[in-house]
Amino acid sequence: MKKKAITVDCPNCHRSIVWGDEYPERPFCSKRCKDSDFIDWANEQKTIPGSPSYDDIFSEGDPDLY
Ligand SMILES: [Zn+2]
């Protein structure tokens, strides 16, 4: 039985990666992209009125989280 590799595009840099243990940060190609995307996401959240601000999330968060 032939196993078909599933590929996904990294949401940050849009590089195609194989969905598997080779990329533990999937759907991101690397931890670097994963962290970068999160920062973008946090910045976007900051611009939405009525949402918890970036500062609130990080000033009140558990410091051991990172
Ligand atoms: Zn990437």
Side-chain angles (χ1 to χ4, degrees):
M1 186 174 174
K2 188 179 181 184
K3 188 177 180 183
K4 189 175 187 298
I6 298 170
T7 59
V8 296
D9 289 343
C10 172
N12 188 56
C13 70
H14 305 292
R15 190 167 80 119
S16 283
I17 64 165
V18 177
W19 190 272
D21 292 343
E22 195 176 341
Y23 294 94
E25 310 298 338
R26 62 189 180 275
F28 301 93
C29 67
S30 64
K31 191 176 192 305
R32 186 187 182 91
C33 275
K34 187 179 183 181
D35 290 347
S36 174
D37 188 82
F38 175 73
I39 292 166
D40 287 346
W41 172 85
N43 285 334
E44 282 177 25
Q45 298 304 302
K46 189 179 181 182
T47 66
I48 300 173
S51 294
S53 76
Y54 183 91
D55 290 340
D56 285 344
I57 292 168
F58 286 95
S59 63
E60 294 177 12
D62 182 351
D64 290 332
L65 191 63
Y66 298 98

